[in-house]
């Protein structure tokens, strides 16, 4: 983004420390899902949007609210329903009798972190109201464009498409999500811990103290530009994405936006580990969350209930990972100058 040059960067070791503190804070409320929560935080640090897809009641909404509190972000929740209109998302012009003119009333999308709750319960027309905001960080209403203040992130929750009253998300919108994360059912011990913590706090809502604020988060995000990616790792990312297009079970593979998602998320994983360089393991850890939702399987695969993440894991097994320790060419060129 254009104003990124004016944002001060945070040292990578400090990014890792603050990220651990944020995760520790969120984990006081969301029990036993630290790996999934780390993926969500990686998506936010990478400047992207996150789709939380799972069965109802598994903590998706709680996760979004907890991250908003721990990151010190302005937060709004929008419940998506079948009768929701695009203007309910973006805002609209209303006639002001005092000024005898139309004034713009901003919708809930004008925030730092928007929880789009049950996004696939609304028709595609309303879902598409998010597309411009998610990609361009702006909203156009009746020919007037309004910029969204950074940082801006959408954390959307979705129920499985087999559930009654859900609409499949359009491929163009799925592609706007940097990654898709699922939590799954907790273990019995984790579920027991949820009950104990609920009794301990003596109220339904959990309030978390902010660890950082919006300005500090932007500094952490800017620091990811200092995380270098060696050429062979870059080629590995491209090979993985291209291999999804050639898989026998796939009708439509991941687009180049999938390669960019792998790059950004691998950088975020490296930063979370306190490293200023990406290793192939970073790419492997984010491959399924970054690519699976961008893959369209052949119809016969749906009948066999094959999951797209299975394709990604097969691609990972077949694609050799690099072992080079060389400097990236773009960094070497910059140093030479």
């Amino acid at each position: 983004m254009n104003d990124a040059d004016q944002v001060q960067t945070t040292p990578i070791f400090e990014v890792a420390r603050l990220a651990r503190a944020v995760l520790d804070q969120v984990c006081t409320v969301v029990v036993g899902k630290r790996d999934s929560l780390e993926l969500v935080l990686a998506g936010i640090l990478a400047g992207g949007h996150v789709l939380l897809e799972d069965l109802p009641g598994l903590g998706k909404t709680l996760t979004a609210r907890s991250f908003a509190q721990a990151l010190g972000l302005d937060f709004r929740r929008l419940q998506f329903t079948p009768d929701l209109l695009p203007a309910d998302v973006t805002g609209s012009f209303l006639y002001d009798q005092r000024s005898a003119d139309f004034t713009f009333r901003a919708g809930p999308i004008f925030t730092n972190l928007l929880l789009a709750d049950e996004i696939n319960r609304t028709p595609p027309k309303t879902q598409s109201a998010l597309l411009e905001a998610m990609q361009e960080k702006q909203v156009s209403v009746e020919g007037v464009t309004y910029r969204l203040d950074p940082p801006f992130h959408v954390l959307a929750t979705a129920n499985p498409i087999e559930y009654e009253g859900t609409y499949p998300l359009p491929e163009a919108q799925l592609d706007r999500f940097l990654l898709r994360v699922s939590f799954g059912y907790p273990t019995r011990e984790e579920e027991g811990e949820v009950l104990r913590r609920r009794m301990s706090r003596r109220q339904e809502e959990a309030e978390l103290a902010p660890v950082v604020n919006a300005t500090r988060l932007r500094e952490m995000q800017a620091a990811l530009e200092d995380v270098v990616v060696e050429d062979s790792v870059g080629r590995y990312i491209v090979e993985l994405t291209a291999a999804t297009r050639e898989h026998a079970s796939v009708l439509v593979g991941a687009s180049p936006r999938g390669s960019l998602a792998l790059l950004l998320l691998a950088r975020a994983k490296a930063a979370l580990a306190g490293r200023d360089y990406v290793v192939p393991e970073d790419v492997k850890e984010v491959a399924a969350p970054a690519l699976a939702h961008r893959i369209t399987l052949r119809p016969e695969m749906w009948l066999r209930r094959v999951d797209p993440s299975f394709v990604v894991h097969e691609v990972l097994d077949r694609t050799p990972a690099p072992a080079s320790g060389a400097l990236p060419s773009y960094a070497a060129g910059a140093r030479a100058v």
Side-chain angles (χ1 to χ4, degrees):
M1 51 188 173
N2 295 334
D3 55 351
D5 297 333
Q6 296 148 13
V7 178
Q8 195 174 6
T9 61
T10 299
I12 292 296
F13 70 87
E14 183 69 3
V15 172
R17 186 189 69 80
L18 291 172
R20 283 195 299 270
V22 169
L23 283 172
D24 290 342
Q25 190 79 303
V26 173
C27 285
T28 62
V29 177
V30 184
V31 179
K33 304 298 178 186
R34 192 176 181 96
D35 289 343
S36 297
L37 294 174
E38 186 172 317
L39 284 171
V40 175
L41 182 55
I44 295 173
L45 285 178
H49 312 288
V50 183
L51 179 62
L52 305 174
E53 186 176 87
D54 219 324
L55 298 168
L58 295 183
K60 303 185 296 293
T61 302
L62 178 63
T63 295
R65 185 182 299 112
S66 299
F67 269 113
Q69 292 176 351
L71 293 169
L73 300 178
D74 182 40
F75 172 74
R76 293 188 185 181
R77 176 181 180 270
L78 182 60
Q79 181 66 48
F80 280 71
T81 56
D83 59 349
L84 196 73
L85 299 175
D88 297 326
V89 179
T90 61
S92 58
F93 281 93
L94 297 178
Y95 185 72
D96 187 347
Q97 291 183 340
R98 289 175 297 182
S99 63
D101 198 2
F102 287 91
T103 58
F104 179 67
R105 183 194 64 179
I109 203 169
F110 287 86
T111 186
N112 293 138
L113 195 152
L114 175 69
L115 169 58
D117 212 0
E118 295 188 304
I119 190 174
N120 60 340
R121 287 201 181 277
T122 198
K125 181 179 179 180
T126 304
Q127 293 174 10
S128 65
L130 285 172
L131 286 178
E132 182 184 12
M134 293 173 68
Q135 184 64 31
E136 307 295 337
K137 305 295 194 300
Q138 66 183 30
V139 172
S140 297
V141 180
E142 297 188 20
V144 182
T145 299
Y146 299 90
R147 297 289 301 175
L148 297 172
D149 293 332
F152 171 71
H153 300 280
V154 174
L155 263 63
T157 71
N159 295 322
I161 59 173
E162 295 85 1
Y163 269 56
E164 185 177 354
T166 60
Y167 298 83
L169 288 173
E171 288 82 359
Q173 180 148 358
L174 276 174
D175 213 26
R176 278 0 183 245
F177 286 102
L178 195 64
L179 74 164
R180 181 178 62 183
V181 179
S182 299
F183 292 127
Y185 283 111
T187 64
R188 286 176 171 78
E189 291 75 16
E190 291 167 352
E191 197 164 351
E193 182 63 23
V194 171
L195 302 184
R196 284 190 291 272
R197 293 186 187 185
R198 169 60 182 87
M199 291 185 288
S200 175
R201 65 175 178 263
R202 302 177 65 86
Q203 63 181 15
E204 184 62 30
E205 298 295 330
E207 295 293 330
L208 299 181
V211 177
V212 296
N213 55 29
T215 301
R216 196 59 185 270
L217 174 60
R218 292 187 67 202
E219 293 172 356
M220 294 167 67
Q221 292 172 334
L224 264 61
E225 295 299 328
D226 296 327
V227 178
V228 297
V229 181
E230 194 269 318
D231 289 352
S232 64
V233 177
R235 287 192 295 271
Y236 180 55
I237 289 173
V238 172
E239 288 295 328
L240 287 175
T241 308
T244 66
R245 305 165 197 157
E246 301 162 0
H247 196 280
S249 302
V250 173
L251 185 65
V252 180
S255 68
R257 192 179 277 131
S259 295
L260 287 171
L262 275 182
L263 172 70
L264 296 172
L265 287 169
R267 276 179 155 183
K269 288 290 287 186
L272 287 170
R275 284 183 276 104
D276 63 354
Y277 58 92
V278 171
V279 297
E281 284 68 27
D282 297 324
V283 179
K284 293 178 182 179
E285 288 178 15
V286 300
L291 297 180
H293 64 290
R294 305 174 196 274
I295 294 173
T296 302
L297 296 176
R298 295 185 181 278
E300 58 268 27
M301 295 300 111
W302 285 107
L303 295 175
R304 299 179 194 172
R305 294 189 175 275
V306 174
D307 191 271
S309 60
F310 172 77
V311 172
V312 178
H313 289 300
E314 277 203 342
V315 165
L316 283 171
D317 291 339
R318 297 175 184 175
T319 308
S324 171
L327 285 172
S329 60
Y330 70 88
R335 291 179 184 179
V337 173

